[in-house]
Amino acid sequence: EGLAASGLIQPGSLVENAYKVRLPAGASEADLKAIQDRAAKDFPEAGWSIRTRSNAAPALSSNIERFSQFLTLVGLTALVVGGVGVANAVRAYLDGKRGVIATFKSLGASGGFVFTIYLVQILLIAGVGIVAGLILGAAMPFAASAA
């Protein structure tokens, strides 16, 4: 009554009212959704901001969602950078083997044969790197928890 008598509540005033509604014990999520839908239908101009037990902190939920999207972007960026690094490593490896490749070609080896030899070598090196990375990645949580 005192707030209304002060004349501070006018169109454009920043006033926020909070109502807490106790529901019957055992109210399901469907019941909560029905109440939200009915409130939005009965009072379309009210500007409700309804929080339930499943969404008690919507700001936290949106921050977690944004952080998840950021980590996805960082992961994809790291994947692209890693792919460029692997491509450069393969190119440097093959540049170092240019003399051997020329020798194979001068001895009559076909291009397919040379390609197959170096493809197998690169796949073996990649396989060793993948296995080493998996072992290191699986061991890191245990090492971090021990530290």
Side-chain angles (χ1 to χ4, degrees):
E1 293 175 7
L3 182 60
S6 70
L8 293 174
I9 300 177
Q10 301 174 17
S13 297
L14 296 177
V15 177
E16 183 176 318
N17 295 306
Y19 299 96
K20 295 182 181 183
V21 179
R22 180 182 296 224
L23 299 177
S28 68
E29 292 296 322
D31 295 334
L32 295 175
K33 181 69 175 149
I35 292 169
Q36 284 179 316
D37 293 342
R38 182 163 178 195
K41 184 181 128 212
D42 291 348
F43 305 100
E45 301 291 323
W48 298 107
S49 175
I50 299 175
R51 294 185 297 176
T52 65
R53 62 180 172 237
S54 62
N55 188 19
L60 178 63
S61 297
S62 65
N63 282 337
I64 289 172
E65 178 66 26
R66 256 189 305 235
F67 187 64
S68 173
Q69 290 173 348
F70 172 73
L71 287 179
T72 301
L73 180 64
V74 168
L76 289 174
T77 303
L79 190 62
V80 168
V81 169
V84 169
V86 168
N88 285 335
V90 168
R91 174 176 281 189
Y93 176 74
L94 291 177
D95 282 344
K97 297 294 184 177
R98 190 174 295 202
V100 176
I101 293 171
T103 304
F104 278 151
K105 292 296 282 178
S106 67
L107 292 175
S110 68
F113 176 75
V114 174
F115 176 79
T116 304
I117 287 176
Y118 285 102
L119 177 64
V120 169
Q121 287 181 9
I122 290 169
L123 289 176
L124 286 173
I125 293 169
V128 169
I130 289 170
V131 169
L134 287 173
I135 291 170
L136 186 63
M140 286 303 288
F142 297 110
S145 66

